[in-house]
Amino acid sequence: MSKTLQLPKIIEDALLQANPSTSRRNFLKSSGALILSVGVNSIPGGKVLAQTTDSGPYTDPDFLQLDTWIVIHPDNTASFFVGKTDGGQGTGTAFRQMMCDELDIAYDKTNLVMGSTDTTPDQGGSGGSDGVERDGWPMRRVAAEARRVLLGLASDYLEIPITELVVSNAIITSNNDPSKIVTYAELIGGRTFNVSLTGENVNATSGVANVKPVSDLNVIGQSIQRYDIPAKVDGSLIWAVDVKLPGMVHARNVRPPLVGATLRSIDESSVADTPGLIRVVSRGNYVAVVCEREEQAISAARQLQVDWAAPSEAPFPASDDLFDYMRSATIAANSASDITGDPDSALEAAEHLIEAEYEVPYQGHTAIGPAHALADPSDGQMTIYSNDIKSYGLRRGVAKFLGIAKEQVRVIYMDGPQVYGRTAADDAGFEAAFLAHELGRPVRVQWMRDEETAWDTKGPAYTFKLRGGLDRQGKLVALEYAARAADYNHLGYNQADTVLIAQLMGIRPSEPAKGRSVTPSIKYAIANQRMTADIVSLPLIWGTPLRTGNLRDPNGPQVTFAFESFIDELAAVASADPVQFRLDLLTSSDEDDLLRRARSIATLNAAAESFGWETRPSPNPQISEPGSPFVTGRGLGYTFRNGTVVALIAEVEVNRTTGHIWVKRLVCGHDCGLVINPAGLSHTVECGILHGLSRALWEEVQFDTKKIKSVDWVSHPSLRHSDIPETIEIVQVNGDPNPDRPDLPHYGAGEASHKPVIAAVANAIYDATGVRLRRPPFRKERVLAAIHAQT
Amino acid sequence: MTIVTLRVNGASHEVDIDPATPLLYVLRNDLELRGPRFGCGLGQCGVCTIIVDGAAVRSCTIPASQVSGEITTLEGLSTNGMLDPLQQAWIDEQVPQCGYCQNGQIMTAKALLNQNPNPTDIEIRTGMEGALCRCMTYYRIQAAIKRVVQGAVVSATPETDQGADV
Ligand code: FES
Ligand code: FES
């Protein structure tokens, strides 16, 4: 009935279509001293996928060998191998641009292989928006080193000193005699460099060559279209969800219906007549069904009768009671406690004392495509096809979990739905591997919608209490910030003792990770301040769907919401313009290594200018036209993340009758140093902002004391087409005090722009209405209640 | 099991399945199409959208045996090697981030333009409302649709790569 096509065949076919004459696999097979033991094939759409018939063991590619990073082919093209992944932010294109520039080869003569554990050096996969900021440097350095080595070879070959050689587009010529010419391919195509690199760790990897000064970079700075997009729109891309292997079967999980329930028994007769049933697998509280076909597994998982014993204690308070619970909970751990000056006396002496409390609920990743993975136990090895951004960690974690050598495990990284941090892609990878190990055949797992929304990791809920003191001139003289995060037992990536399957099986680390609670990242000069950040725990620590994990800047949106809202409240009491109030605070005399103070001022000014910001205090004195329920306002949120500075201005329209909020216009000043691909950067920043807008307007995990109630797109709404602003402007700023400096760094992007959105929207709502919203999401019922409470 | 006949992208296929099987799994697992994907299985997100006789249908909730019309999937949008103007506009506007939802976005837009070749901005927003994107590419999606409506798209053959065939 169903014809099963092997992935290798699909890829071989695609390769033949793409280019019948060359094959990386053949190259690698035929070239003698190979560092890479696998083939790499190109598939339509330019996505390159590592694929091998190798049966292991899978040794780690050696990052201290140039050949691990760069291969020059006989047709004078090149392949780059990097240990990163690209969730669709265009980092793959950016990496390729950086390496092309240093190697001096045209972009369209190269391709890039990412994140497959037996093919690419372990750069840790992705996370933290640090791909360009940190991992781009070893990529640039190794490409520069390859260029240096090639120039040396050319010098010998042409018998011309290196100083008289010029290189362009992978062709080296003599300065003086254009007839003296040699290509990279002629020098080394199809052969290995055999050049060792140095570096204590992969981030420090370097050759002898220096990277180019900014003024010599040509490919960097171009808005080259992303190579991965065509195959994503014509349907040709092979995603991790698409891989099919001979003998592959389908699994679905059966989760405890009540959080904290214990499995008593399974009535297997309840699925005995399910067509295609292969096995019901259970261990501890982990239960799954495995069937021949996908729809059979879905039905069987629904049909399976499991007797669960309800927990004796509620696992958590209901979401409506969460913040009261958090405020009165015993502190589980302290994360930060910093005092500058004498905040108590300064607050006492202040002319105006302002206090406010803020709350942010749990918010989830809720990927558009539920978590999935395919694991293949053929040949006594374990190959996992996954979109997990930390493929290397998944490999190590699975090896540990299954008790096998890591050389027996490899992870083939493929595209998948968005992964902004520690998602359930980790959990699904372990589940597929466990089931494949149990059954001895390839098993594909995908979570269902309710599972994804309820059980995926969450960004921690927060409560905040802030106090500020202004002097007679409206200057901020003292500030007190106290945060509490419900982040106890924050999950790391791919840990064999904390992934969901381990927790449900009863496997525990010796103690839970204490999690994090964070103070704001600011450059404001405040003479007297106290900043504390504590962590509280919910009653149930293990096997709970309220598991926290990194979600696109794990604490930034929450903390920036509270802090930048409070700064706005202070500005309003001081009757100061919100931009000017912040600029006046950016007066600290100690500048940091990243020059953030100077760059913050430049970025704030650029955003205000592009917006056409009118200097005045909030709220907006304009009143709506008679009879119209609509009022508008503008709000600012400023932040930085690592080296990147963001100033976001939102213009909102509030319907005072319904409470509906529409963010009409967004202007974002953004300084991330040297920009690799301006269009790609703008798109990623834009999407990061809109993701923040979704968290500002819609997202909240709701639960009662027994289970999560947010289980689909109705009970857990997300931003939609109708919410989208009329205009979004990304203003790229280079606010470096020496903007032309030859070593201008490239900082990260993506997470930074996600941080200030909730604050900017709240501040704009205040400007429009005079009503201060101190808890997202700003759904219309909450906005309306706040408007009514004011009048 | 029952033999069900499906007409997909111009070809006829017979599959032997439980007639209640949602069309999505038949398209993906029996016909090995990759455009429609699983997002919710509840008809809420649009990721599985296909076009049946010109109109958008969510393949995750409709039993395969109930579909008698001509099915078009994302793979079937390009004709004679030419991308559909919507697909070209998606490339011109560099719409996708991860891309997982984009089947639903493109197919929903296609059905919208089938019914209303000249939608206003408001009609684009309302027509696309049920197609969710968690990477939040909505602004670019709307720009791409407007490009097509304004006739500002020149279709090219499907671009396989801007990189080398190596
Ligand atoms: S998967 Fe069909 S609508 Fe979501
Ligand atoms: S592009 Fe990732 S969900 Fe839409």
Side-chain angles (χ1 to χ4, degrees):
Chain A
M1 175 193 62
S2 150
K3 64 182 164 69
T4 310
L5 216 55
Q6 293 186 37
L7 180 66
K9 170 117 177 67
I10 293 177
I11 294 185
E12 292 292 356
D13 289 351
L15 172 72
L16 283 172
Q17 272 171 11
N19 188 339
S21 64
T22 58
S23 157
R24 260 304 302 278
R25 181 175 301 175
N26 289 341
F27 157 68
L28 289 163
K29 272 185 189 152
S30 60
S31 59
L34 272 184
I35 307 304
L36 298 161
S37 61
V38 302
V40 175
N41 299 329
S42 165
I43 60 170
K47 289 301 294 187
V48 180
L49 180 68
Q51 179 56 36
T52 173
T53 49
D54 257 15
S55 55
Y58 309 110
T59 49
D60 296 347
D62 181 0
F63 66 85
L64 292 177
Q65 286 297 323
L66 187 53
D67 294 300
T68 301
W69 300 84
I70 296 173
V71 170
I72 307 284
H73 303 292
D75 60 356
N76 213 26
T77 60
S79 292
F80 303 133
F81 298 81
V82 301
K84 301 296 292 178
T85 58
D86 180 358
Q89 284 68 55
T91 45
T93 302
F95 297 147
R96 206 165 125 185
Q97 286 179 256
M98 295 163 102
M99 294 181 81
C100 283
D101 236 335
E102 297 292 350
L103 182 60
D104 266 321
I105 188 168
Y107 178 86
D108 63 3
K109 296 291 182 209
T110 62
N111 65 10
L112 180 81
V113 185
M114 304 183 91
S116 285
T117 60
D118 59 337
T119 317
T120 53
D122 181 357
Q123 293 186 280
S126 294
S129 294
D130 57 10
V132 165
E133 179 160 7
R134 185 191 63 195
D135 307 281
W137 285 108
M139 296 178 202
R140 285 182 65 183
R141 289 191 296 261
V142 300
E145 178 68 358
R147 179 182 182 275
R148 184 193 69 80
V149 171
L150 284 158
L151 275 168
L153 293 173
S155 171
D156 292 346
Y157 179 87
L158 299 172
E159 297 178 342
I160 298 173
I162 289 180
T163 48
E164 288 170 28
L165 294 176
V166 286
V167 49
S168 166
N169 286 343
I171 298 169
I172 299 171
T173 47
S174 157
N175 242 341
N176 312 317
D177 178 0
S179 71
K180 304 260 185 181
I181 183 164
V182 65
T183 66
Y184 284 1
E186 284 162 345
L187 293 168
I188 208 166
R191 295 189 304 281
T192 50
F193 285 98
N194 292 324
V195 168
S196 294
L197 306 166
T198 56
E200 282 179 355
N201 55 49
V202 73
N203 299 334
T205 307
S206 183
V208 178
N210 291 323
V211 297
K212 291 179 177 176
V214 169
S215 54
D216 286 0
L217 299 172
N218 301 314
V219 187
I220 287 176
Q222 287 185 39
S223 287
I224 292 173
Q225 292 200 337
R226 268 171 47 201
Y227 64 78
D228 55 318
I229 283 183
K232 287 178 175 175
V233 306
D234 67 16
S236 62
L237 183 68
I238 302 173
W239 301 70
V241 285
D242 295 324
V243 183
K244 296 184 174 59
L245 298 174
M248 176 181 108
V249 292
H250 295 268
R252 285 296 183 276
N253 299 310
V254 179
R255 301 293 183 203
L258 301 175
V259 174
T262 322
L263 187 138
R264 272 207 207 100
S265 63
I266 297 174
D267 175 9
E268 292 204 25
S269 69
S270 59
V271 290
D273 58 355
T274 302
L277 180 76
I278 294 169
R279 198 180 316 165
V280 177
V281 181
S282 76
R283 188 171 299 177
N285 294 321
Y286 176 73
V287 182
V289 293
V290 186
C291 292
E292 294 286 350
R293 289 180 58 94
E294 190 165 14
E295 69 276 9
Q296 293 167 339
I298 294 169
S299 311
R302 285 199 187 116
Q303 223 174 292
L304 185 74
Q305 295 292 316
V306 184
D307 185 16
W308 298 94
S312 52
E313 232 192 298
F316 33 65
S319 42
D320 288 345
D321 303 324
L322 175 68
F323 302 112
D324 287 340
Y325 177 91
M326 286 172 64
R327 279 185 285 262
S328 58
T330 312
I331 291 167
N334 172 266
S335 207
S337 190
D338 300 312
I339 295 178
T340 317
D342 183 353
D344 294 323
S345 315
L347 283 167
E348 184 104 346
E351 179 76 12
H352 302 281
L353 182 67
I354 299 102
E355 293 186 1
E357 295 198 22
Y358 304 86
E359 299 163 343
V360 182
Y362 282 107
Q363 297 181 317
H365 285 273
T366 49
I368 192 83
H372 54 272
L374 165 64
D376 177 8
S378 303
D379 302 320
Q381 316 292 318
M382 187 62 73
T383 301
I384 303 165
Y385 299 83
S386 165
N387 69 318
D388 195 282
I389 54 169
K390 306 263 192 203
S391 39
Y392 303 89
L394 179 59
R395 174 195 186 214
R396 283 189 294 270
V398 163
K400 192 168 174 200
F401 186 71
L402 297 180
I404 60 179
K406 88 173 156 65
E407 286 70 27
Q408 276 176 270
V409 182
R410 67 180 163 155
V411 176
I412 301 209
Y413 166 72
M414 301 176 76
D415 282 278
Q418 95 279 0
V419 269
Y420 300 123
R422 198 292 188 197
T423 67
D426 287 19
D427 303 297
F430 279 71
E431 289 163 357
F434 170 74
L435 293 168
H437 198 63
E438 286 289 297
L439 273 80
R441 57 196 290 191
V443 178
R444 178 179 183 275
V445 175
Q446 186 156 25
W447 288 20
M448 299 303 286
R449 177 80 262 152
D450 55 344
E451 217 177 337
E452 175 76 22
T453 307
W455 284 87
D456 194 3
T457 52
K458 313 289 186 294
Y462 262 90
T463 62
F464 302 91
K465 190 167 187 168
L466 283 102
R467 298 204 301 154
L470 298 173
D471 68 13
R472 196 158 297 156
Q473 286 74 42
K475 183 171 177 310
L476 179 60
V477 290
L479 186 103
E480 192 175 69
Y481 165 99
R484 284 186 167 202
D487 194 42
Y488 197 59
N489 192 19
H490 186 96
L491 300 182
Y493 290 88
N494 289 303
Q495 294 165 327
D497 51 7
T498 69
V499 287
L500 186 55
I501 186 171
Q503 293 199 23
L504 291 171
M505 285 178 175
I507 298 167
R508 306 277 183 263
S510 52
E511 61 180 307
K514 76 179 170 73
R516 264 184 96 200
S517 181
V518 166
T519 55
S521 61
I522 46 157
K523 281 308 294 175
Y524 296 147
I526 303 165
N528 305 289
Q529 58 180 10
R530 177 184 289 111
M531 299 265 185
T532 52
D534 296 311
I535 296 148
V536 296
S537 175
L538 299 184
L540 185 67
I541 294 173
W542 302 110
T544 168
L546 290 181
R547 332 175 272 150
T548 50
N550 286 359
L551 165 60
R552 211 173 202 182
D553 193 30
N555 306 277
Q558 302 93 313
V559 169
T560 311
F561 160 64
F563 193 71
E564 280 289 290
S565 291
F566 190 64
I567 293 294
D568 225 63
E569 299 209 35
L570 295 170
V573 173
S575 298
D577 173 81
V579 172
Q580 193 56 50
F581 190 76
R582 286 171 173 82
L583 289 172
D584 290 344
L585 286 172
L586 287 166
T587 54
S588 155
S589 55
D590 59 320
E591 182 55 293
D592 58 22
D593 291 349
L594 301 168
L595 304 163
R596 283 187 294 212
R597 189 183 70 85
R599 293 168 58 230
S600 292
I601 292 168
T603 307
L604 277 163
N605 282 327
E609 189 184 328
S610 288
F611 183 81
W613 183 273
E614 173 205 352
T615 302
R616 60 162 175 79
S618 285
N620 190 346
Q622 277 175 21
I623 44 161
S624 57
E625 287 174 31
S628 167
F630 295 106
V631 286
T632 60
R634 87 280 162 93
L636 170 69
Y638 148 72
T639 192
F640 54 76
R641 184 176 197 282
N642 299 335
T644 298
V645 182
V646 184
L648 179 70
I649 301 174
E651 181 183 331
V652 304
E653 178 186 277
V654 183
N655 183 328
R656 291 183 56 93
T657 309
T658 64
H660 180 263
I661 303 288
W662 181 39
V663 175
K664 278 178 84 164
R665 183 176 173 217
L666 288 164
V667 175
C668 179
H670 192 275
D671 181 353
C672 59
L674 181 66
V675 176
I676 311 300
N677 184 316
L681 172 66
S682 281
H683 302 167
T684 292
V685 169
E686 169 193 313
C687 292
I689 294 170
L690 292 179
H691 185 189
L693 186 58
S694 188
R695 294 176 72 170
L697 297 182
W698 290 110
E699 296 183 36
E700 167 174 21
V701 181
Q702 294 182 317
F703 38 92
D704 58 24
T705 56
K706 295 190 172 78
K707 60 182 186 313
I708 305 290
K709 296 196 294 178
S710 302
V711 290
D712 58 21
W713 296 118
V714 174
S715 53
H716 184 270
S718 172
L719 204 74
R720 288 175 182 265
H721 274 281
S722 57
D723 294 314
I724 300 310
E726 240 162 31
T727 52
I728 302 177
E729 295 146 65
I730 313 299
V731 185
Q732 294 180 9
V733 181
N734 176 359
D736 198 285
N738 177 10
D740 297 321
R741 69 184 163 114
D743 60 346
L744 186 68
H746 26 78
Y747 305 113
E751 297 188 41
S753 65
H754 183 64
K755 273 177 90 165
V757 188
I758 311 177
V761 173
N763 293 340
I765 294 171
Y766 175 75
D767 189 58
T769 60
V771 172
R772 179 57 64 180
L773 289 165
R774 298 192 181 88
R775 166 173 171 4
F778 311 132
R779 295 192 201 172
K780 62 183 185 210
E781 300 78 14
R782 181 166 288 131
V783 175
L784 200 57
I787 289 173
H788 286 159
Q790 179 205 37
T791 49
Chain B
M1 305 291 256
T2 310
I3 303 281
V4 172
T5 305
L6 295 169
R7 282 186 294 130
V8 185
N9 298 332
S12 196
H13 301 268
E14 287 192 346
V15 283
D16 185 11
I17 49 160
D18 176 342
T21 304
L23 179 59
L24 175 66
Y25 303 109
V26 180
L27 294 174
R28 289 188 55 77
N29 297 337
D30 297 296
L31 306 186
E32 300 198 343
L33 291 160
R34 301 192 288 265
R37 283 180 278 277
F38 175 74
C40 67
L42 304 164
Q44 295 176 349
C45 72
V47 169
C48 64
T49 303
I50 53 163
I51 291 177
V52 181
D53 295 336
V57 170
R58 300 201 154 172
S59 66
C60 70
T61 47
I62 188 163
S65 55
Q66 281 180 22
V67 183
S68 55
E70 179 66 40
I71 298 168
T72 307
T73 70
L74 183 66
E75 292 92 337
L77 273 196
S78 50
T79 41
N80 301 327
M82 295 286 280
L83 290 177
D84 186 274
L86 277 167
Q87 291 171 307
Q88 185 60 49
W90 248 246
I91 294 171
D92 295 345
E93 284 290 340
Q94 294 282 287
V95 170
Q97 291 272 298
C98 81
Y100 194 91
C101 74
Q102 297 297 338
N103 169 74
Q105 306 294 347
I106 295 171
M107 300 307 274
T108 305
K110 181 73 185 168
L112 171 69
L113 297 188
N114 282 345
Q115 271 152 24
N116 178 5
N118 274 303
T120 61
D121 288 2
I122 300 289
E123 285 168 342
I124 291 173
R125 284 163 182 266
T126 48
M128 296 297 295
E129 185 69 355
L132 297 186
C133 174
R134 285 292 289 164
C135 294
M136 310 293 165
T137 61
Y138 298 111
Y139 186 66
R140 311 211 74 72
I141 292 167
Q142 292 174 15
I145 298 172
K146 287 176 206 170
R147 247 183 211 248
V148 174
V149 172
Q150 288 155 7
V153 177
V154 183
S155 281
T157 48
E159 183 68 53
T160 52
D161 184 25
Q162 301 186 8
D165 296 325
V166 285

